[in-house]
Amino acid sequence: MSQAPEILVRVDRAVKHYFRGSECVEVLHEVNLEIERGDFVGLIGPSGSGKTTLLNLIAGLDQPTSGHIFFAGNEISAMNESQLARWRTNAVGFVFQFFHLIPVLTAFENVELPLLLTNMSARRRRDHVRMVLKAVGLDHREHHRPGQLSGGEQQRVGIARALVTDPALIVADEPTGDLDSKKSKEILDLLQMLQEELHKTLLVVTHDPNVAGRTRRLLRIDSGRLIEDRCDANRPLPLRRAAPVAVSSNSAGLVDQPG
Amino acid sequence: MSKFILLMLKNLGRNKLRTTLTALAVTVLVTICVVVLSVVATVRMQLSTEASQAKLIVTERWVAPSEVPVRYIPRLTRIRGVEDWTTWNLYVGFFDKTLRSDRAGLGFATRVENLTRMHGGLENVDPAVIEALKNEKSGVLMGSTLMQAMNWKVGQQFTFFSTSTAGKDLRFKIVGVMPAGVYPLSFFFRDDYFAEGTGNKDTVSLVWLRLRDASLAPRVISQIQHDFASSQPALKVETESSGVARFVEKGKVILFIIDFVALILSIDMVILLSNSISISTRERRVEMAVLKVLGFQPLHIVAMVVGEAMLIGALSGLAGAALAWGASALAQSGRLPSDGITSFLLVFPVPAQAMMWGALAGASIGFVGSVFPAWSARKVKVSDVFSRIA
């Protein structure tokens, strides 16, 4: 039995202006977009085309100059900074090109960081972090600091950190941009597993054709306008599972929804 | 909460050299601050103790050092309302011939029979010690700090080389020690031994009169002024508390300067910490943006930055105060050579509570010093930071 697609993200006539001195630069021009839950979406385009700006808007890191952004039916473009911070903790996981792990913390502590903002007990936090680290294949490296890990391992920690609060959406900005081709493939495999096995919605900004080739849907942006929206009709959206068995036997999901 | 503190501690360990240098600088400044403030605290404490309206000090009006004729004493002590009396002859000099400043001392030749009644703080001196003083003409009751500094023991003898009565050096035998904090750097001995040894049987430095009631002070003062109006030498009489007040007036400027120095040191510490925290937050701008991306509220960022500064301030403050207290305790116990700064610490001991105040002051300085950097850090706009990286 097929499930009806559910719209997770809706961008409604989003416009973003920046001021460079007295000059007004329009980075996004009336972008309309819908992303279905569980989809793997790639966002490509030349430098300065507005990719990262659109990503920031969808992830609640920035506000549109005009237009609206909805996430699971709630308008996030109307939230203030504190509301957005709270929302991000639970709703969005971030994977960065340069990993951005906290250098003084171990892999375990880096992954645990977002959970410190929840009211989860220390014991459950520990269990969840270990489970997620195991899922990304780093359970044996939990006590290592970022400086003691390879680039690929650091990115796995970054993915584990993005995953630990069980967000519906994972956004990644050039997640393989700082990795060699072998490590890139490993990371892409891992991201694809998140989408297919855990039914995560992935939005990936990339220049890398290999990454773009893995996505189910590919958006091309240029000069602040979406100029192409291509979907691989042969790849259906993964079925939503009751329990992410690949990672956890916890029937409530990867982690309990905090707060 | 403990995780946040752990995070702050780890952040402090991120640039160990900078953190160590900052902590060291604050520690040194707090040490100096504590030592300097201990002067104020000691002076204020001593001034506030037992200054009484019920005790009068009679000195010679125009001459310093004062020389009150002994012949005045019967007339003074017969005045109605005077309950008890004693005299002091100041005996100034050195404990050895080197005449080094840290070997200087001040003795009070006084009556033994009412020594404990006339001197606040001596009420609980062992009667056996007083008895020994009565039996031993050259006996001396030593201040506790002085004993420790000289590393002397009861029963030991020493010669005091006088400068107030040149050439009249006296040999003493220690018969007892005064309670801690009471005349800690002075000694008491018998007035008859002083008179015999120095040949000064005609004058005393001052006369103490204890009144039956403090309310009698104005009348007794007025009576003395009247009775001795045409005497030569003329007398000055005042209550103990007004004498203290006069000293305080003179000392106010010094205390103000010391307070001012402490304030400057505190401002120094604020600037130092503020600078260090500013550099640290600037370096971690991207990291703070990442924290915000992960869901940290601006207030979390402020708390983290302020917390780090308060932590380093409190720990350094505690260390600085502990250093000052430790040095003072060692000096007081005679385990440090009594010269230079040590002799200073002997006179102005640092109390143990200074450690608590040091930590609190350090934390407060950390708070003040980190407010602006923290405020700036909270305003990091995540999208700006990422667009710069990209």
Side-chain angles (χ1 to χ4, degrees):
Chain A
M1 193 175 89
S2 66
Q3 291 172 315
E6 177 191 348
I7 301 300
L8 184 68
V9 177
R10 186 157 70 86
V11 180
D12 180 20
R13 285 178 296 159
V15 174
K16 184 68 185 176
H17 292 162
Y18 287 118
F19 279 92
R20 193 177 292 149
S22 57
E23 182 194 0
C24 179
V25 182
E26 190 177 83
V27 187
L28 287 181
H29 179 76
E30 295 217 350
V31 172
N32 291 297
L33 172 67
E34 286 184 345
I35 297 174
E36 291 171 15
R37 190 185 283 271
D39 207 349
F40 187 173
V41 181
L43 185 58
I44 59 172
S47 294
S49 57
K51 303 187 294 294
T52 301
T53 303
L54 182 58
L55 188 84
N56 285 341
L57 294 184
I58 292 172
L61 298 178
D62 205 354
Q63 298 284 34
T65 308
S66 67
H68 309 275
I69 315 287
F70 296 90
F71 186 93
N74 300 313
E75 185 176 0
I76 61 168
S77 48
M79 292 181 184
N80 63 29
E81 197 180 357
S82 292
Q83 289 169 326
L84 276 174
R86 263 193 298 277
W87 169 79
R88 280 196 301 266
T89 307
N90 299 321
V92 192
F94 294 84
V95 180
F96 307 102
Q97 178 181 359
F98 299 110
F99 326 130
H100 291 314
L101 302 177
I102 310 294
V104 291
L105 302 181
T106 62
F108 181 96
E109 289 163 340
N110 266 288
V111 176
E112 188 188 24
L113 210 50
L115 293 182
L116 297 181
L117 303 169
T118 69
N119 54 8
M120 194 179 281
S121 71
R123 190 175 168 181
R124 291 182 64 202
R125 266 204 320 263
R126 191 185 58 216
D127 292 345
H128 280 303
V129 171
R130 290 208 170 125
M131 186 175 72
V132 175
L133 277 172
K134 192 173 180 186
V136 298
L138 276 182
D139 45 334
H140 61 298
R141 305 284 266 167
E142 66 175 62
H143 298 302
H144 290 74
R145 291 189 178 188
Q148 299 166 314
L149 300 173
S150 69
E153 286 174 328
Q154 287 188 55
Q155 192 58 296
R156 282 170 181 272
V157 175
I159 291 170
R161 183 178 63 183
L163 199 59
V164 75
T165 54
D166 195 22
L169 175 67
I170 292 179
V171 295
D173 194 356
E174 300 281 8
T176 58
D178 208 37
L179 300 174
D180 60 36
S181 57
K182 185 167 174 269
K183 299 290 179 198
S184 291
K185 184 180 175 307
E186 286 175 13
I187 293 301
L188 285 173
D189 289 344
L190 182 59
L191 288 174
Q192 199 157 358
M193 185 276 282
L194 297 181
Q195 185 239 348
E196 290 173 356
E197 301 291 323
L198 301 181
H199 200 256
K200 299 294 173 198
T201 308
L202 256 66
L203 176 58
V204 181
V205 167
T206 187
H207 282 107
D208 185 347
N210 290 325
V211 180
R214 293 276 195 120
T215 59
R216 200 186 80 91
R217 183 180 174 195
L218 194 62
L219 304 171
R220 188 182 299 277
I221 189 167
D222 195 7
S223 303
R225 289 177 168 81
L226 279 177
I227 56 168
E228 187 183 346
D229 184 350
R230 185 152 45 87
C231 188
D232 184 351
N234 296 325
R235 274 174 63 185
L237 282 177
L239 291 178
R240 195 173 185 187
R241 298 183 182 191
V245 288
V247 176
S248 164
S249 59
N250 180 349
S251 61
L254 187 62
V255 297
D256 291 352
Q257 282 294 337
Chain B
M1 190 64 185
S2 60
K3 285 280 176 182
F4 276 107
I5 292 172
L6 190 70
L7 181 60
M8 288 175 208
L9 278 171
K10 289 199 172 194
N11 279 334
L12 289 178
R14 148 193 319 258
N15 188 331
K16 289 188 178 66
L17 181 65
R18 185 171 57 225
T19 302
T20 307
L21 288 176
T22 306
L24 213 60
V26 173
T27 301
V28 169
L29 288 173
V30 168
T31 306
I32 297 169
C33 223
V34 167
V35 170
V36 163
L37 286 174
S38 73
V39 175
V40 182
T42 306
V43 170
R44 289 203 169 120
M45 190 181 72
Q46 301 225 335
L47 293 180
S48 65
T49 54
E50 297 291 323
S52 161
Q53 295 278 350
K55 274 164 84 179
L56 301 183
I57 308 167
V58 183
T59 53
E60 189 179 354
R61 178 175 287 274
W62 306 116
V63 179
S66 155
E67 290 183 344
V68 178
V70 170
R71 66 173 191 277
Y72 286 4
I73 293 174
R75 283 169 65 195
L76 284 167
T77 56
R78 273 203 304 271
I79 292 171
R80 204 150 51 87
V82 175
E83 187 181 58
D84 203 354
W85 63 278
T86 193
T87 60
W88 273 7
N89 255 314
L90 305 187
Y91 189 51
V92 184
F94 294 86
F95 291 104
D96 61 32
K97 282 184 172 172
T98 61
L99 308 187
R100 278 165 39 196
S101 60
D102 62 314
R103 289 288 188 268
L106 169 63
F108 301 109
T110 190
R111 298 171 72 206
V112 179
E113 52 268 40
N114 60 357
L115 177 68
T116 56
R117 290 199 304 276
M118 287 300 292
H119 297 92
L122 295 184
E123 300 85 355
N124 298 323
V125 171
D126 187 352
V129 171
I130 302 300
E131 205 53 38
L133 205 54
K134 284 178 184 169
N135 295 331
E136 175 60 57
K137 200 171 204 177
S138 66
V140 65
L141 187 59
M142 298 290 290
S144 56
T145 304
L146 194 54
M147 276 294 270
Q148 285 166 349
M150 302 303 289
N151 200 20
W152 283 341
K153 291 183 171 49
V154 172
Q156 198 163 336
Q157 295 190 331
F158 68 90
T159 301
F160 192 74
F161 301 91
S162 173
T163 52
S164 55
T165 53
K168 309 285 186 183
D169 305 331
L170 295 178
R171 185 143 186 88
F172 292 103
K173 182 180 180 185
I174 301 168
V175 297
V177 184
M178 286 183 272
V182 182
Y183 302 97
L185 287 163
S186 306
F187 60 92
F188 281 94
F189 64 103
R190 283 168 53 164
D191 55 351
D192 56 337
Y193 185 56
F194 175 83
E196 192 179 288
T198 63
N200 177 10
K201 295 176 182 171
D202 302 326
T203 62
V204 292
S205 302
L206 58 95
V207 180
W208 286 99
L209 302 176
R210 179 191 285 283
L211 307 182
R212 243 191 351 263
D213 191 306
S215 64
L216 297 171
R219 189 180 62 72
V220 175
I221 290 171
S222 152
Q223 175 92 45
I224 293 171
Q225 283 167 342
H226 176 263
D227 290 357
F228 291 86
S230 53
S231 298
Q232 217 32 264
L235 291 183
K236 185 173 81 180
V237 59
E238 60 189 336
T239 60
E240 183 183 24
S241 55
S242 68
V244 167
R246 190 159 45 82
F247 176 79
V248 172
E249 277 304 312
K250 284 180 183 170
K252 256 182 186 169
V253 177
I254 297 168
L255 294 181
F256 171 76
I257 290 169
I258 292 174
D259 281 340
F260 186 70
V261 167
L263 178 70
I264 296 291
L265 287 174
S266 303
I267 292 170
D268 258 3
M269 284 189 270
V270 168
I271 293 169
L272 191 89
L273 261 168
S274 183
N275 186 43
S276 184
I277 294 290
S278 293
I279 295 169
S280 169
T281 49
R282 245 194 331 272
E283 282 176 358
R284 288 154 53 200
R285 205 174 150 77
V286 172
E287 207 172 290
M288 285 172 180
V290 171
L291 291 177
K292 285 178 97 171
V293 168
L294 296 180
F296 279 64
Q297 303 270 351
L299 203 61
H300 287 128
I301 306 289
V302 170
M304 196 173 71
V305 174
V306 171
E308 283 170 30
M310 287 179 75
L311 206 59
I312 194 171
L315 292 176
S316 309
L318 180 67
L323 207 65
W325 174 78
S328 169
L330 281 176
Q332 297 285 319
S333 67
R335 274 179 278 180
L336 285 181
S338 55
D339 53 6
I341 183 73
T342 317
S343 57
F344 182 85
L345 289 167
L346 276 173
V347 183
F348 302 108
V350 176
Q353 300 95 298
M355 285 190 280
M356 186 185 73
W357 291 114
L360 279 174
S364 310
I365 283 163
F367 177 80
V368 176
S370 61
V371 164
F372 287 112
W375 196 254
S376 161
R378 82 178 272 286
K379 290 195 292 191
V380 169
K381 207 173 169 197
V382 286
S383 55
D384 283 357
V385 171
F386 290 120
S387 61
R388 267 175 219 159
I389 294 163

